[in-house]
Amino acid sequence: MRVDLVVVGAGLFGLTVAEQAAERGLDVAVVDRRDHPGGNAWSETDPETGIEVHRYGAHLFHTSNERVWEYVNRFTGFTAYQHRVWTVHGGEVYPLPINLGTLNQFFRSNHGPDEARRLVAEQAAELMGEPRNLEEKAVSLIGRPLYEAFIRDYTAKQWQTDPRDLPAEVISRLPVRYTYDNRYFNDRYEGLPTDGYAAWLSRMADHPRISVHLGTDFLDGDHALSRDAVRGQVPVVYTGPVDRYFGDAHGALGWRTLDFEREVLPVGDFQGAPVMNYADGDVDFTRILEFRHFHPERDYRADRTVIVRERSRSAGPGDEPYYPVNTPEDRSRLLAYRELVEQERASGVAFGGRLGTYQYLDMHMAIASALRLVDDLDELVHGRGTVTAAGRRAALA
Ligand code: FAD
Ligand code: UDP
């Protein structure tokens, strides 16, 4: 097998790098330890109902990045789906993200936008200066009563970490609106892949210059595409966990993982919406996903539905790392890992993606960042100078 580039991880970051490198004439080997490509965006058809289920939790595509939108449309069309979420608090259902509807229902009021802004400003007045963590940021945005009802316990369940130890950015992902607009995302483009995530992601890897090696762990074992065989011989783009690459040299970074409890119910519609959050601490799951609602345009059977209850907990050594927790201790460890990452560049290894950079990246962010890496691919593949056919191509037995 002769390859010009090894990509570790067949998630959206790795697939974008691989596809773009192949388009530029490089032969690429993609390895993934899972038995399917696509990383966490992968989906499958539930055998009993035919309903598409996102195996690693609900994945909603949205972006305002023109380059990313143009790129993804080469592989799939998108439906007109717009994401909306509701939440249960104290036995009552409220709209999310927090908007005028949520606020007026909660306070049993009839405030217009300006009155609502004034009310929240009064309730947030306890805070002075820049918010230093998630709790302070949330209180500054929505005031303490709404924070305690909809954010505090949900966040504690999601992150298993005191909201005062979490970075403010986590909550900045959620808009707060003084209108009745309850769309979850603000982006220009939004939708779900028309014929599913599996079809989209498989198409990205379907290129004569790309070989995909599933069930293959780059860091383990004695095989032709292991780190020991490849490092220093062929350039590598690594999208696995950064701490694991360095054998946890600076200690393990904190991640949270999710448990998905899937159930097929003998009803046509269980909750009337794709996602229902459960804000209160006395319910042990964070949300229920009902997958049929992601594709109202599809002709799914009317007597069965698939729901998934999602629970969150700290990831142990054998668990899938889903979300970087990013406590102050994690952030100082990450700085130490970044130095090692910088040094690995000399051996032709570049790090990317969610796990490789220890960053929460939405799909469009992972793709945008992969496209930027590809812009510099010449430098990684050939050290410096222009691309030539030979490059640092290596024979991997
Ligand atoms: P991943 O998809 O995690 O891919 C990394 C791959 O590397 C994996 O397949 C893994 O098996 C492989 N790997 C790791 N270590 C090794 C190794 N040693 N050897 C070989 N292979 C290895 N984004 C959105 O835009 N909208 C959403 O609604 C959304 N919802 C999400 C919900 C959840 C629960 C999660 C976890 C993420 C969500 N995301 C969402 C983010 C989205 O999943 C990522 O942006 C996307 O998957 C890109 O990730 P990636 O390629 O960096 O990593
Ligand atoms: N959040 C919350 N209550 C909700 C929804 C979200 O407190 O009903 C907080 C929570 O901390 C969450 C963050 O906002 O992690 C971002 O929410 P989003 O839905 O973007 O991300 P998730 O963590 O669910 O993937």
Side-chain angles (χ1 to χ4, degrees), residues 248-362:
D248 291 338
H250 293 298
L253 294 165
W255 292 90
R256 69 179 172 87
T257 194
L258 298 172
D259 294 319
F260 300 107
E261 183 197 341
R262 195 188 295 188
E263 228 184 313
V264 176
L265 300 176
V267 295
D269 192 351
F270 170 72
Q271 62 184 14
V275 180
M276 187 68 70
N277 287 0
Y278 285 80
D280 297 338
D282 57 359
V283 178
D284 75 337
F285 47 86
T286 47
R287 53 190 169 196
I288 298 182
L289 317 175
E290 186 173 8
F291 279 96
R292 68 179 310 115
H293 292 296
F294 290 120
H295 287 283
E297 80 288 357
R298 288 187 190 164
D299 199 14
Y300 288 141
R301 61 190 282 182
D303 60 345
R304 291 273 190 287
T305 197
V306 182
I307 64 163
V308 169
R309 283 190 188 79
E310 216 177 279
R311 292 182 179 81
S312 186
R313 61 185 167 78
S314 298
D319 293 320
E320 286 291 344
Y322 287 127
Y323 292 90
V325 177
N326 231 337
T327 59
E329 191 185 16
D330 290 324
R331 288 198 285 279
S332 73
R333 285 184 175 157
L334 181 61
L335 288 179
Y337 280 118
R338 281 194 185 142
E339 279 182 26
L340 297 179
V341 163
E342 212 37 59
Q343 290 162 21
E344 272 304 278
R345 187 104 194 160
S347 305
V349 183
F351 289 68
R354 226 168 38 90
L355 304 166
T357 58
Y358 192 68
Q359 264 184 309
Y360 183 86
L361 296 177
D362 272 326

Side-chain angles (χ1 to χ4, degrees), residues 84 86 95-105 109-113 116 177-183:
R84 290 187 168 79
W86 281 262
L96 281 181
I98 291 177
N99 63 66
L100 216 42
T102 325
L103 184 141
N104 276 328
Q105 186 180 344
S109 56
N110 180 18
H111 295 316
R177 299 209 190 93
Y178 290 92
T179 66
Y180 289 91
D181 176 4
N182 68 332
R183 276 185 68 175

Side-chain angles (χ1 to χ4, degrees), residues 94-165:
Y94 295 82
L96 281 181
I98 291 177
N99 63 66
L100 216 42
T102 325
L103 184 141
N104 276 328
Q105 186 180 344
F106 184 75
F107 291 113
R108 307 267 151 183
S109 56
N110 180 18
H111 295 316
D114 289 344
E115 280 169 290
R117 275 201 180 83
R118 266 197 299 279
L119 177 70
V120 165
E122 273 165 31
Q123 291 176 347
E126 61 174 274
L127 284 181
M128 317 278 275
E130 270 300 295
R132 287 164 303 177
N133 54 51
L134 190 151
E135 175 166 310
E136 291 187 6
K137 179 75 185 177
V139 170
S140 77
L141 288 171
I142 56 174
R144 190 163 288 279
L146 289 168
Y147 164 72
E148 288 183 353
F150 298 112
I151 308 294
R152 186 190 57 196
D153 296 352
Y154 184 91
T155 296
K157 281 196 284 189
Q158 272 279 43
W159 294 92
Q160 315 280 301
T161 301
D162 189 320
R164 283 166 296 196
D165 284 332

